[in-house]
Amino acid sequence: QRRVHGRIISYILTIVIATLTPFLPADKDSDIKGKISGSNRVATSAPYSVEEIKQVGKKWGTTVNDVVATCVAGAIRRYQLDSKTGSGKAVNVRAIIPMNLRPVREGQLEFGNKIAFVSLPLSITEKNTIKRLRTMMKRMFKVKLSPEGSWNYNLCGIFYYTLPRKVWLWLCQRFTSRFSLVLTNVAGPRLPLAICNKPLVGMIGWVPAGKCGLTVSAVSYAGNLTVGVLADVNVVKQPHKLIQYFEEEWQALKDAAKTA
């Protein structure tokens, strides 16, 4: 009974915090957060094997999403500690995670999106790669069980249809400004596609940033996963460094998996 009461209280607190997010303190300015200019730079990685990511994640019972989030957190940590790109101090930050609320039904195709946004604290200050992976796994699992996604989706719908457009847009911008980055992992087509009989060799996308100066997207296609970084020039001046550090974090996980 205590466990049930604790879960109810946790749900209520989550809903209250989600509702008040636009008015709560934002992440402090850091090496990846600051005043945005509106001009962006982009960088993309070489493709990674999705099957290899799955196999490495299985060593610790984690998913592709967990591995990607861990490598992103580790890449930001390296970026912050690099004296040429950061301040030399690791600082924890929060990410906005788009969450698909539409149920997957085999054999049924539906148009339109049903996407909500949830918050995910990234484990930046943790030095150990495996401990960071375990922490991100727990946080990602907690996000999946949380009512935050469905609540934010419904609340956004209510605001969209009841509030003046200017007020609604102000709330959206206020919400995104609370966070340091947008992080998303999109599962694309599993089989190769062609356009006008020309094979589609790869796929990458960047998500809208709102008032965030950094977005990181991982898009899978035909068995490969590509990471893309879109960064405001005033916030992250060297987005290719984040791609480089992501690769180093992924290599560290692969090395750890060999001896696990």
Side-chain angles (χ1 to χ4, degrees):
Q1 190 174 6
R2 289 182 180 179
R3 184 176 298 179
V4 173
H5 289 165
R7 188 171 299 175
I8 293 174
I9 293 173
S10 176
Y11 269 44
I12 293 174
L13 287 176
T14 298
I15 290 172
V16 171
I17 292 173
T19 305
L20 297 178
T21 293
F23 308 101
L24 295 177
D27 284 0
K28 294 181 180 179
D29 285 356
S30 65
D31 300 318
I32 63 166
K33 180 176 171 60
K35 186 176 181 180
I36 62 174
S37 66
S39 298
N40 298 312
R41 292 192 180 105
V42 298
T44 58
S45 72
Y48 301 95
S49 168
V50 174
E51 185 59 33
E52 186 178 18
I53 295 174
K54 289 181 178 179
Q55 292 303 318
V56 170
K58 282 182 180 179
K59 292 286 185 177
W60 297 279
T62 59
T63 65
V64 172
N65 281 339
D66 300 331
V67 172
V68 170
T70 299
C71 290
V72 170
I76 293 174
R77 173 183 171 81
R78 290 175 185 258
Y79 188 91
Q80 291 177 340
L81 294 178
D82 188 337
S83 60
K84 295 181 180 179
T85 58
S87 61
K89 181 181 179 181
V91 179
N92 287 325
V93 300
R94 295 177 300 163
I96 301 174
I97 307 292
M99 174 184 286
N100 179 30
L101 299 180
R102 189 172 59 182
V104 178
R105 298 185 180 92
E106 292 294 334
Q108 295 186 19
L109 296 177
E110 297 179 11
F111 290 101
N113 291 321
K114 190 176 181 181
I115 296 176
F117 295 93
V118 296
S119 61
L120 177 70
L122 299 183
S123 179
I124 307 294
T125 56
E126 176 56 60
K127 298 178 181 180
N128 185 279
T129 302
I130 305 307
K131 288 183 179 179
R132 184 183 305 116
L133 176 61
R134 296 186 190 279
T135 298
M136 294 310 304
M137 176 185 67
K138 292 177 182 177
R139 292 178 181 177
M140 292 288 283
F141 185 72
K142 185 177 180 180
V143 164
K144 293 174 184 177
L145 296 181
S146 168
E148 182 182 0
S150 57
W151 177 260
N152 281 345
Y153 179 83
N154 291 316
L155 191 64
C156 187
I158 292 172
F159 287 165
Y160 180 81
Y161 288 108
T162 59
L163 295 178
R165 178 176 173 80
K166 288 184 178 180
V167 176
W168 182 77
L169 289 175
W170 177 83
L171 281 172
C172 290
Q173 293 178 348
R174 179 83 178 178
F175 176 84
T176 57
S177 69
R178 305 296 92 185
F179 302 89
S180 296
L181 71 151
V182 180
L183 172 61
T184 182
N185 184 8
V186 179
R190 297 181 180 180
L191 299 176
L193 302 178
I195 300 178
C196 298
N197 293 324
K198 298 293 183 181
L200 186 64
V201 298
M203 187 178 295
I204 187 61
W206 291 278
V207 294
K211 285 296 183 177
C212 289
L214 174 66
T215 72
V216 181
S217 56
V219 180
S220 62
Y221 166 69
N224 289 320
L225 182 142
T226 306
V227 178
V229 172
L230 182 148
D232 189 275
V233 296
N234 276 358
V235 181
V236 178
K237 296 180 174 59
Q238 301 183 56
H240 66 279
K241 281 289 187 180
L242 284 173
I243 294 294
Q244 174 189 329
Y245 294 144
F246 183 96
E247 168 64 29
E248 292 176 6
E249 285 294 316
W250 168 234
Q251 189 61 51
L253 273 179
K254 287 199 297 182
D255 293 341
K258 293 177 183 178
T259 57

mmCIF file of all heavy atoms in Angstrom, residues 205-224:
data_model
loop_
_atom_site.group_PDB
_atom_site.id
_atom_site.type_symbol
_atom_site.label_atom_id
_atom_site.label_comp_id
_atom_site.label_asym_id
_atom_site.label_seq_id
_atom_site.Cartn_x
_atom_site.Cartn_y
_atom_site.Cartn_z
ATOM 1 N N GLY A 205 18.672 13.779 -40.171
ATOM 2 C CA GLY A 205 17.723 14.865 -39.954
ATOM 3 C C GLY A 205 18.101 15.679 -38.739
ATOM 4 O O GLY A 205 18.844 15.210 -37.865
ATOM 5 N N TRP A 206 17.625 16.910 -38.701
ATOM 6 C CA TRP A 206 17.854 17.767 -37.549
ATOM 7 C C TRP A 206 16.505 18.268 -37.045
ATOM 8 O O TRP A 206 15.642 18.648 -37.830
ATOM 9 C CB TRP A 206 18.738 18.959 -37.923
ATOM 10 C CG TRP A 206 20.150 18.562 -38.222
ATOM 11 C CD1 TRP A 206 21.147 18.324 -37.331
ATOM 12 C CD2 TRP A 206 20.719 18.317 -39.511
ATOM 13 N NE1 TRP A 206 22.309 17.959 -37.969
ATOM 14 C CE2 TRP A 206 22.072 17.943 -39.312
ATOM 15 C CE3 TRP A 206 20.228 18.367 -40.808
ATOM 16 C CZ2 TRP A 206 22.916 17.637 -40.368
ATOM 17 C CZ3 TRP A 206 21.066 18.063 -41.867
ATOM 18 C CH2 TRP A 206 22.397 17.706 -41.630
ATOM 19 N N VAL A 207 16.341 18.257 -35.766
ATOM 20 C CA VAL A 207 15.057 18.647 -35.179
ATOM 21 C C VAL A 207 15.044 20.142 -34.899
ATOM 22 O O VAL A 207 16.094 20.756 -34.696
ATOM 23 C CB VAL A 207 14.788 17.872 -33.870
ATOM 24 C CG1 VAL A 207 14.606 16.404 -34.150
ATOM 25 C CG2 VAL A 207 15.915 18.095 -32.862
ATOM 26 N N PRO A 208 13.859 20.778 -34.892
ATOM 27 C CA PRO A 208 13.765 22.195 -34.522
ATOM 28 C C PRO A 208 14.291 22.406 -33.111
ATOM 29 O O PRO A 208 14.026 21.620 -32.207
ATOM 30 C CB PRO A 208 12.261 22.485 -34.613
ATOM 31 C CG PRO A 208 11.711 21.418 -35.504
ATOM 32 C CD PRO A 208 12.551 20.207 -35.260
ATOM 33 N N ALA A 209 15.042 23.484 -32.927
ATOM 34 C CA ALA A 209 15.712 23.707 -31.652
ATOM 35 C C ALA A 209 14.936 24.603 -30.703
ATOM 36 O O ALA A 209 15.206 24.605 -29.510
ATOM 37 C CB ALA A 209 17.108 24.296 -31.901
ATOM 38 N N GLY A 210 13.970 25.378 -31.235
ATOM 39 C CA GLY A 210 13.297 26.335 -30.363
ATOM 40 C C GLY A 210 14.297 27.336 -29.817
ATOM 41 O O GLY A 210 15.046 27.962 -30.561
ATOM 42 N N LYS A 211 14.336 27.477 -28.510
ATOM 43 C CA LYS A 211 15.278 28.388 -27.865
ATOM 44 C C LYS A 211 16.541 27.671 -27.385
ATOM 45 O O LYS A 211 17.354 28.253 -26.662
ATOM 46 C CB LYS A 211 14.604 29.077 -26.679
ATOM 47 C CG LYS A 211 13.610 30.165 -27.063
ATOM 48 C CD LYS A 211 14.282 31.325 -27.761
ATOM 49 C CE LYS A 211 13.302 32.446 -28.076
ATOM 50 N NZ LYS A 211 13.963 33.602 -28.702
ATOM 51 N N CYS A 212 16.697 26.392 -27.765
ATOM 52 C CA CYS A 212 17.933 25.669 -27.453
ATOM 53 C C CYS A 212 18.976 25.981 -28.523
ATOM 54 O O CYS A 212 18.645 26.151 -29.693
ATOM 55 C CB CYS A 212 17.687 24.159 -27.409
ATOM 56 S SG CYS A 212 16.736 23.598 -25.986
ATOM 57 N N GLY A 213 20.223 26.025 -28.116
ATOM 58 C CA GLY A 213 21.281 26.305 -29.069
ATOM 59 C C GLY A 213 21.930 25.054 -29.611
ATOM 60 O O GLY A 213 22.881 25.142 -30.402
ATOM 61 N N LEU A 214 21.427 23.872 -29.222
ATOM 62 C CA LEU A 214 22.052 22.625 -29.649
ATOM 63 C C LEU A 214 21.007 21.533 -29.806
ATOM 64 O O LEU A 214 20.147 21.355 -28.932
ATOM 65 C CB LEU A 214 23.094 22.190 -28.608
ATOM 66 C CG LEU A 214 23.755 20.823 -28.805
ATOM 67 C CD1 LEU A 214 24.604 20.822 -30.073
ATOM 68 C CD2 LEU A 214 24.603 20.457 -27.586
ATOM 69 N N THR A 215 21.062 20.812 -30.921
ATOM 70 C CA THR A 215 20.241 19.621 -31.099
ATOM 71 C C THR A 215 21.139 18.479 -31.568
ATOM 72 O O THR A 215 22.062 18.682 -32.355
ATOM 73 C CB THR A 215 19.113 19.819 -32.136
ATOM 74 O OG1 THR A 215 19.668 19.876 -33.454
ATOM 75 C CG2 THR A 215 18.331 21.079 -31.868
ATOM 76 N N VAL A 216 20.856 17.293 -31.056
ATOM 77 C CA VAL A 216 21.584 16.088 -31.456
ATOM 78 C C VAL A 216 20.550 15.062 -31.898
ATOM 79 O O VAL A 216 19.641 14.722 -31.139
ATOM 80 C CB VAL A 216 22.432 15.523 -30.305
ATOM 81 C CG1 VAL A 216 23.188 14.281 -30.772
ATOM 82 C CG2 VAL A 216 23.412 16.569 -29.779
ATOM 83 N N SER A 217 20.680 14.580 -33.133
ATOM 84 C CA SER A 217 19.719 13.617 -33.665
ATOM 85 C C SER A 217 20.451 12.362 -34.113
ATOM 86 O O SER A 217 21.514 12.431 -34.730
ATOM 87 C CB SER A 217 18.944 14.213 -34.839
ATOM 88 O OG SER A 217 19.843 14.655 -35.854
ATOM 89 N N ALA A 218 19.878 11.214 -33.792
ATOM 90 C CA ALA A 218 20.398 9.925 -34.243
ATOM 91 C C ALA A 218 19.314 9.276 -35.093
ATOM 92 O O ALA A 218 18.224 8.992 -34.604
ATOM 93 C CB ALA A 218 20.758 9.043 -33.055
ATOM 94 N N VAL A 219 19.606 9.051 -36.357
ATOM 95 C CA VAL A 219 18.618 8.517 -37.293
ATOM 96 C C VAL A 219 19.136 7.197 -37.857
ATOM 97 O O VAL A 219 20.251 7.142 -38.387
ATOM 98 C CB VAL A 219 18.344 9.501 -38.442
ATOM 99 C CG1 VAL A 219 17.302 8.924 -39.399
ATOM 100 C CG2 VAL A 219 17.882 10.845 -37.899
ATOM 101 N N SER A 220 18.330 6.150 -37.735
ATOM 102 C CA SER A 220 18.733 4.846 -38.268
ATOM 103 C C SER A 220 18.079 4.606 -39.623
ATOM 104 O O SER A 220 16.942 5.022 -39.866
ATOM 105 C CB SER A 220 18.355 3.728 -37.302
ATOM 106 O OG SER A 220 16.948 3.672 -37.121
ATOM 107 N N TYR A 221 18.812 3.940 -40.516
ATOM 108 C CA TYR A 221 18.303 3.622 -41.845
ATOM 109 C C TYR A 221 19.073 2.434 -42.400
ATOM 110 O O TYR A 221 20.310 2.435 -42.427
ATOM 111 C CB TYR A 221 18.464 4.830 -42.776
ATOM 112 C CG TYR A 221 18.284 4.503 -44.238
ATOM 113 C CD1 TYR A 221 17.039 4.144 -44.745
ATOM 114 C CD2 TYR A 221 19.365 4.541 -45.103
ATOM 115 C CE1 TYR A 221 16.881 3.822 -46.083
ATOM 116 C CE2 TYR A 221 19.220 4.227 -46.451
ATOM 117 C CZ TYR A 221 17.974 3.873 -46.944
ATOM 118 O OH TYR A 221 17.815 3.556 -48.268
ATOM 119 N N ALA A 222 18.344 1.417 -42.805
ATOM 120 C CA ALA A 222 18.924 0.234 -43.455
ATOM 121 C C ALA A 222 20.063 -0.375 -42.645
ATOM 122 O O ALA A 222 21.101 -0.743 -43.190
ATOM 123 C CB ALA A 222 19.403 0.599 -44.858
ATOM 124 N N GLY A 223 19.864 -0.457 -41.332
ATOM 125 C CA GLY A 223 20.846 -1.112 -40.480
ATOM 126 C C GLY A 223 21.964 -0.237 -39.979
ATOM 127 O O GLY A 223 22.830 -0.705 -39.229
ATOM 128 N N ASN A 224 21.968 1.044 -40.355
ATOM 129 C CA ASN A 224 22.998 1.969 -39.889
ATOM 130 C C ASN A 224 22.378 3.142 -39.145
ATOM 131 O O ASN A 224 21.222 3.509 -39.390
ATOM 132 C CB ASN A 224 23.826 2.490 -41.064
ATOM 133 C CG ASN A 224 24.724 1.430 -41.662
ATOM 134 O OD1 ASN A 224 25.317 0.629 -40.939
ATOM 135 N ND2 ASN A 224 24.807 1.403 -42.980
#
